[in-house]
Amino acid sequence: MMHGQTATHDEHKLDAALHARHVAMIAIGGIIGAGLFVGSSTSINQIGPAVVVSYGMAGLVILMIMRMLSEMAMLNPGAGSFTEHVRIGFGDKWGPLAGFVTGWLYWYFWVIVVAIEAIAGAVILALWLPFEVWQIGCVLLALMTVVNLFSARSYGEFEFWLSAAKVAAILGFIAIAGLWAFGVTSPDGPTFANITGHGGFAPKGWGAVIGGVTSVIFALCGAEIATVAAAESRAPAKVIARMTGSVALRILLFYILSLILIVAVQPWDTVVPGQSPFASSLGLMGIPAAETIMNAVVLVAVLSCLNSGLYVTSRALFGLARHGDAPQSLIRLNKRKVPARATVIASLFGYGAMAASVLSPGGVFSFLVSASGALMLVIYLMVCLAQVRMRRIVEATAPERLGIRMWLFPWLSYATIAAIVIVLMAMGLVPELRAQFLASTLTVALAAGAWWLLRRKRP
């Protein structure tokens, strides 16, 4: 048995093809998606200028989780993906269950994201191309599948340039909006009065600000993609560790600064939900073809998320197969060291979800999306619990191994756990989010039930 496992480990080892610049940009790109460029409009409309506080609170939770992952990565440099840290952290007794559930939930979450992003990209391209949305979506998914099948390096290179384009777009917006807000280009002088001039900084009350965390936190998910990619880099533990500080910086720079400038440039109550507030701000400042420019930027963001979604679903499935939690045929690598079968299966499920969006948009597809709604929070909760347990054991047995430490342990770890639990409870209580909470709970229960059934069948 041991001989077979060793052979499997040697023959099915992923290639260390990614450079530090790839992983760093994958980390940045993981957070910057359509959720910022378009989704933020709904949050601004529901919360007001104080939306920056909601994003700041959510950003702190994500930062804490990334710090915990950094600590675990330094303790287990060969573990690879963060789902493996969960498996190790829960120990021999509960680790197999935790690894199985976390791995499959993560796979399912990103399969749904793949379908959503393919549709979102197709909707934009349908403005310019004479084809149906579903036809364009199929082509986009096929193109990203081909990119991922070539090699990890091709994925990394593609993602590097897509993420660089997103970063350039945000920096350009910050520069243009900053000049306007400070009165350099504005005909009426500084416009920061808009932040408090339309019902105050928190016009919907501070309850809306705190409640808003439940929705904005999902826009910030994705930084952990870099921990998956780091398993195929040349210095995974160091790469993940170095990423932590930059997570705080990009949340501060890309989200909070962008949103402050949006509500400074235009009154918050003129932001239309579902329409890019970046586009409306650029239009108000007189930038020609603002809507076309932002459509192009959103398309780049969508393609980036689609590319990353296919990558992480294939690696999650590959990791599950290595532990016997998915069919063993999925650990086969092609000559370019890519888990091709796992990539193709992720693509096929993406096509299935897209088909559901065409055939049953309000039924099957709506349920599939709802069933993935709270999963990242559940996964992050598992990461926190694994970190606390692992840290306790290391402190008792070999404290010198702690190269990177979670800040103010155990209190910040406990505070992060409490924050995630509160957000999940709030989802169950808020009528608009309750369907997502209940459907996601069902998904978690199904994953745990599947593990129990498979465990019974194994000798």
Side-chain angles (χ1 to χ4, degrees):
M1 185 71 179
M2 288 300 293
H3 173 77
Q5 287 175 343
T6 305
T8 298
H9 180 76
D10 293 338
E11 291 169 19
H12 305 293
K13 192 168 174 23
L14 295 169
D15 191 21
L18 297 175
H19 294 289
R21 68 180 178 90
H22 293 130
V23 179
M25 200 58 87
I26 288 165
I28 293 171
I31 277 185
I32 307 168
L36 170 62
F37 292 119
V38 181
S40 56
S41 61
T42 303
S43 301
I44 293 169
N45 183 268
Q46 292 175 346
I47 300 167
V51 69
V52 295
V53 178
S54 302
Y55 274 97
M57 292 165 70
L60 278 175
V61 174
I62 301 297
L63 175 60
M64 296 303 110
I65 291 161
M66 293 304 293
R67 184 68 180 185
M68 292 185 216
L69 281 171
S70 296
E71 179 184 289
M72 290 192 284
M74 290 298 280
L75 289 171
N76 306 288
S81 167
F82 79 102
T83 53
E84 294 303 300
H85 297 305
V86 172
R87 190 183 292 269
I88 295 166
F90 272 84
D92 292 338
K93 185 177 181 182
W94 296 107
L97 170 61
F100 180 94
V101 171
T102 306
W104 278 111
L105 292 183
Y106 195 60
W107 178 85
Y108 176 73
F109 175 85
W110 280 103
V111 161
I112 297 303
V113 169
V114 163
I116 292 171
E117 298 295 341
I119 293 163
V123 167
I124 295 170
L125 284 171
L127 298 172
W128 306 318
L129 299 174
F131 299 105
E132 296 289 333
V133 168
W134 68 268
Q135 293 171 326
I136 300 171
C138 288
V139 172
L140 288 179
L141 185 48
L143 287 173
M144 293 300 107
T145 303
V146 169
V147 168
N148 274 270
L149 285 173
F150 269 117
S151 67
R153 179 69 182 271
S154 68
Y155 156 72
E157 201 64 40
F158 202 78
E159 188 58 27
F160 176 84
W161 291 108
L162 287 175
S163 295
K166 290 191 287 188
V167 171
I170 290 179
L171 292 176
F173 176 83
I174 288 171
I176 293 167
L179 289 170
W180 182 277
F182 280 101
V184 178
T185 55
S186 167
D188 303 317
T191 61
F192 284 105
N194 279 329
I195 293 176
T196 54
H198 299 268
F201 181 63
K204 303 289 183 77
W206 286 99
V209 175
I210 296 166
V213 176
T214 58
S215 54
V216 303
I217 197 166
F218 295 105
L220 297 169
C221 294
E224 78 294 328
I225 292 175
T227 69
V228 181
E232 292 179 75
S233 79
R234 291 166 189 185
K238 291 178 183 176
V239 170
I240 296 172
R242 279 204 301 265
M243 250 164 32
T244 310
S246 68
V247 170
L249 179 62
R250 66 172 170 265
I251 290 170
L252 177 68
L253 182 64
F254 297 146
Y255 273 81
I256 297 180
L257 195 51
S258 297
L259 292 167
I260 287 174
L261 288 171
I262 285 169
V263 294
V265 167
Q266 64 175 325
W268 69 270
D269 50 7
T270 63
V271 174
V272 180
Q275 294 181 16
S276 173
F278 289 80
S280 56
S281 292
L282 289 172
L284 187 145
M285 291 184 284
I287 304 299
E291 192 172 337
T292 302
I293 291 168
M294 281 316 302
N295 276 333
V297 171
V298 173
L299 179 61
V300 168
V302 161
L303 290 176
S304 169
C305 285
L306 178 53
N307 187 38
S308 289
L310 275 171
Y311 174 81
V312 292
T313 48
S314 66
R315 277 17 177 218
L317 205 50
F318 173 78
L320 287 164
R322 290 187 70 174
H323 288 283
D325 293 335
Q328 290 299 288
S329 61
L330 298 177
I331 59 175
R332 290 266 181 91
L333 302 179
N334 63 17
K335 61 185 178 183
R336 290 177 293 275
K337 294 287 184 181
V338 171
R341 293 181 181 183
T343 303
V344 170
I345 283 180
S347 179
L348 290 175
F349 271 87
Y351 279 117
M354 272 205 299
S357 75
V358 175
L359 301 173
S360 181
V364 176
F365 186 68
S366 178
F367 176 77
L368 290 174
V369 172
S370 293
S372 70
L375 294 189
M376 280 310 300
L377 285 179
V378 174
I379 291 165
Y380 285 160
L381 183 61
M382 301 283 274
V383 168
C384 297
L385 295 172
Q387 183 268 335
V388 170
R389 187 181 184 279
M390 192 185 293
R391 175 70 175 265
R392 293 285 191 205
I393 292 170
V394 173
E395 280 186 337
T397 56
E400 70 280 359
R401 291 180 57 216
L402 287 164
I404 287 181
R405 295 168 183 263
M406 173 60 183
W407 303 300
L408 298 177
F409 183 83
W411 305 114
L412 271 183
S413 293
Y414 291 154
T416 307
I417 290 169
I420 294 172
V421 170
I422 288 168
V423 172
L424 285 169
M425 289 171 62
M427 286 187 72
L429 296 172
V430 175
E432 301 87 56
L433 299 173
R434 191 175 297 141
Q436 288 187 30
F437 175 78
L438 294 174
S440 297
T441 303
L442 176 62
T443 309
V444 175
L446 287 172
W451 179 83
W452 185 76
L453 285 173
L454 286 171
R455 187 183 175 211
R456 289 192 65 189
K457 287 181 178 179
R458 285 178 187 167

